[in-house]
């Protein structure tokens, strides 16, 4: 799941509380309800209780969640939307890429991707939300304060229940929160040097991981029901760590020589795509055994990769960067081999037959690797230097692109002929009714 946000800073330990019972069935009605468009999740009235704390530090005491949760400068209650246009602080897709959330310096907004429309907004009289994480389409969201006037402390994860229009719990840490990832059964909180995993139902701390400095909050979790797979930076530069919680196995993958800049996990948790700070190559690995299954080239010049995304069937990989071009690559993953997790990859991705590969083999000893790299099938060109995140749409062979300038694009690509994508629609989601 891809996300963009303005990062805070620092790292350390946590304490927590949680007045929620069963996360339940969380696939809601996309049209929603009049008061809240989310599917309701049952909320317990039981008192909050203390949970496990970071072993390295004493827990931070926190009070039970109330109607007015602890906040920076006592954030005001939600009000009608102000006239002044908001400034974007964060963008992220939900788990199935059917919706996206925008954190602003005035609150947060939720949008549907196809058809595109604003579902609802919650404004806090100028209070900023720096991180918004949806849980599919249910009424529970995770919020973290941000911007020049944070609505909540940046070192707390506030659990917002939209049916009650209030925060019902919080997770408190000793440093600013970099990212939050949600599953039906887990809440994952990312700090600068640590990652904490909690049970969703009772907020019990079940695991914590030490990482290299992680200012971007890099972390991904599988979303299919069943065994949880979590990917995060490893303990050294260029390394990723894969946690298979069902198998109780940890796998370290040396993905790049330079620092990891971005990665994405397939929804089934079988594959991870990684990019380094150089931003020229993207590598796809098996999370099971750490083997390299494919390598594709974004370009020859250095670039900052903003997002990577697998299609739902693992057939395509999308990449966005500060170069302003969205790339779609074809993945050579044999779907019939799922049972054995074996991947079918030709020795030479550009050759149709072994004979063609052998006849050109002498050239590869002379020409740089650049000339026989695997390039994207389709492209869509935007403004260079802007920040965009990308995901695959629910319509076949479509991608959805979100920009930190408030732009929304939906495009279609031809899997056979490739080339430039066709723009299907374009909007400025911060200005209702406006288009780019």
């Amino acid at each position: 799941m891809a996300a963009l946000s303005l990062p805070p800073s620092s790292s350390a330990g946590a304490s927590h509380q949680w007045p929620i019972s069963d996360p339940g069935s969380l696939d809601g009605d996309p049209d929603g309800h009049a008061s809240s468009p989310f599917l309701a999740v049952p909320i317990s009235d039981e008192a909050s209780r203390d949970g496990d704390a970071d072993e390295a530090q004493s827990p931070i005491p926190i009070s039970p969640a109330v109607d007015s949760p602890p906040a920076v400068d006592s954030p005001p209650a939600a009000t009608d939307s102000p006239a002044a246009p908001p400034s974007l602080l964060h963008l992220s897709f939900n788990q199935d890429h059917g919706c996206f959330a925008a954190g602003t310096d005035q609150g947060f907004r939720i949008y549907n991707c196809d058809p595109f429309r604003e579902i609802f907004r919650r404004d806090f009289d100028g209070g900023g939300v720096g991180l918004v994480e949806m849980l599919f389409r249910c009424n529970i969201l995770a919020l973290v304060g941000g911007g020049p006037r944070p609505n909540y402390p940046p070192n707390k994860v506030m659990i917002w229940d939209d049916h009650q229009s209030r925060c019902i719990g919080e997770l408190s840490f000793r440093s600013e929160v970099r990212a939050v990832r949600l599953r039906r059964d887990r809440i994952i909180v990312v700090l600068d040097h640590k990652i904490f995993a909690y049970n969703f139902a009772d907020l019990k701390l079940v695991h914590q991981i030490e990482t290299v400095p992680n200012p971007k909050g890099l972390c991904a979790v599988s979303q299919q029901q069943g065994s949880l797979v979590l990917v995060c930076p490893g303990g050294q530069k260029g390394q990723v760590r894969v946690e298979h919680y069902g198998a109780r196995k940890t796998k370290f993958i040396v993905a790049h020589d330079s620092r990891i800049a971005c990665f994405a996990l397939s929804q089934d948790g079988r594959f991870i795509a990684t990019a380094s700070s150089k931003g020229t190559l993207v590598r796809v690995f098996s999370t099971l055994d750490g083997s390299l299954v494919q390598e594709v080239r974004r370009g020859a010049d250095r670039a900052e990769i903003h997002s990577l995304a697998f299609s739902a069937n693992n057939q395509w990989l999308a990449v966005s960067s500060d170069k302003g071009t969205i790339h779609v690559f074809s993945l050579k993953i044999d779907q019939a081999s799922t049972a054995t997790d074996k991947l079918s990859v030709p020795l030479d991705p550009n050759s149709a037959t072994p004979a063609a590969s052998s006849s050109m083999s002498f050239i590869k000893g002379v020409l740089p690797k650049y000339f026989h790299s695997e390039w994207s099938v389709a492209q869509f060109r935007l403004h260079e230097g802007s920040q965009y995140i990308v995901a695959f749409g629910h319509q076949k062979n479509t991608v959805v692109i979100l920009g930190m300038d408030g732009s929304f694009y939906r495009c279609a690509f031809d899997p056979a002929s490739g080339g430039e994508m066709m723009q299907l629609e374009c909007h400025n989601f911060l200005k209702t009714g406006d288009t780019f």
Side-chain angles (χ1 to χ4, degrees):
M1 184 176 56
L4 287 177
S5 59
L6 303 182
S9 66
S10 197
S11 109
S15 62
H16 53 271
Q17 62 179 43
W18 184 245
I20 186 169
S21 57
D22 180 18
S25 173
L26 302 178
D27 288 320
D29 176 7
D31 293 328
H33 311 287
S35 60
S36 173
F38 289 130
L39 177 70
V41 172
I43 303 298
S44 168
D45 292 328
E46 297 175 1
S48 302
R49 64 179 183 81
D50 292 335
D52 296 328
D54 180 11
E55 295 178 355
Q57 310 205 29
S58 59
I60 305 174
I62 57 177
S63 58
V66 293
D67 286 358
S68 299
V72 173
D73 296 332
S74 299
T79 63
D80 292 335
S81 176
S87 296
L88 269 178
L89 302 176
H90 173 83
L91 282 174
S92 63
F93 287 98
N94 75 338
Q95 288 81 357
D96 66 5
H97 302 156
C99 298
F100 69 93
T104 75
D105 60 354
Q106 298 173 359
F108 67 92
R109 302 180 181 188
I110 305 296
Y111 300 83
N112 195 70
C113 291
D114 186 16
F116 170 79
R117 69 180 184 276
E118 180 179 308
I119 301 177
F120 77 101
R121 65 176 68 183
R122 299 289 180 253
D123 290 319
F124 300 105
D125 192 23
V129 175
L131 295 174
V132 189
E133 184 74 5
M134 299 179 68
L135 182 58
F136 292 90
R137 293 174 182 265
C138 83
N139 56 300
I140 302 298
L141 299 93
L143 307 178
V144 178
R149 187 186 172 197
N151 197 59
Y152 307 108
N155 67 318
K156 291 186 177 183
V157 177
M158 309 302 296
I159 309 303
W160 175 271
D161 176 13
D162 201 67
H163 276 285
Q164 300 186 46
S165 295
R166 69 183 183 95
C167 288
I168 57 170
E170 67 183 54
L171 288 162
S172 183
F173 299 89
R174 297 185 182 278
S175 65
E176 295 177 355
V177 175
R178 301 297 196 178
V180 182
R181 300 287 181 260
L182 299 181
R183 271 175 50 110
R184 290 178 170 91
D185 56 353
R186 291 288 189 274
I187 299 177
I188 310 297
V189 181
V190 185
L191 307 183
D192 191 46
H193 291 85
K194 281 191 176 182
I195 294 177
F196 296 90
Y198 301 91
N199 276 331
F200 199 108
D202 58 9
L203 215 63
K204 179 182 179 181
L205 179 64
V206 294
H207 196 207
Q208 55 182 300
I209 301 171
E210 300 274 355
T211 70
V212 294
N214 188 14
K216 291 185 176 181
L218 298 179
C219 182
V221 295
S222 59
Q223 291 300 333
Q224 288 189 357
Q225 290 193 18
S227 177
L228 167 63
V229 179
L230 180 149
V231 177
C232 63
Q236 54 186 273
K237 182 177 67 173
Q239 184 185 73
V240 292
R241 173 174 177 161
V242 182
E243 290 289 336
H244 293 270
Y245 285 94
R248 298 183 179 180
K249 184 177 69 172
T250 302
K251 183 70 180 178
F252 291 93
I253 302 172
V254 179
H256 300 272
D257 293 331
S258 50
R259 177 181 51 83
I260 299 292
C262 188
F263 56 66
L265 185 66
S266 62
Q267 290 193 8
D268 58 13
R270 294 175 59 221
F271 305 103
I272 179 174
T274 67
S276 74
S277 55
K278 293 181 180 179
T280 54
L281 296 173
V282 177
R283 292 175 175 144
V284 180
F285 297 89
S286 164
T287 59
L288 186 65
D289 58 13
S291 61
L292 175 66
V293 300
Q294 195 165 347
E295 180 181 274
V296 299
R297 181 174 289 275
R298 180 212 55 81
D301 299 331
R302 294 182 72 102
E304 181 179 354
I305 303 297
H306 291 313
S307 72
L308 300 165
F310 285 90
S311 62
N313 61 1
N314 296 335
Q315 185 178 0
W316 306 100
L317 178 71
V319 181
S320 68
S321 73
D322 62 352
K323 295 297 183 181
T325 301
I326 307 300
H327 295 272
V328 173
F329 297 90
S330 175
L331 296 182
K332 296 172 174 58
I333 295 173
D334 184 3
Q335 295 300 306
S337 65
T338 303
T340 58
D341 285 298
K342 299 297 182 183
L343 304 171
S344 176
V345 183
L347 294 177
D348 177 10
N350 292 302
S351 64
T353 65
S357 175
S358 60
S359 65
M360 297 294 288
S361 60
F362 73 97
I363 296 181
K364 294 183 181 180
V366 178
L367 295 179
K369 187 176 182 181
Y370 174 88
F371 288 98
H372 59 268
S373 292
E374 189 170 352
W375 296 86
S376 59
V377 170
Q379 309 83 34
F380 186 71
R381 304 183 193 285
L382 295 162
H383 302 294
E384 185 171 350
S386 297
Q387 296 186 58
Y388 299 97
I389 61 174
V390 63
F392 286 91
H394 286 189
Q395 299 295 321
K396 188 175 182 180
N397 301 330
T398 62
V399 295
V400 175
I401 305 162
L402 310 178
M404 289 297 287
D405 57 358
S407 57
F408 170 96
Y409 296 90
R410 196 166 64 88
C411 306
F413 63 94
D414 188 326
S417 60
E420 293 295 322
M421 297 189 219
M422 177 186 299
Q423 180 177 304
L424 301 178
E425 60 180 316
C426 181
H427 306 276
N428 182 337
F429 60 79
L430 292 179
K431 299 178 180 179
T432 305
D434 288 358
T435 59
F436 276 76

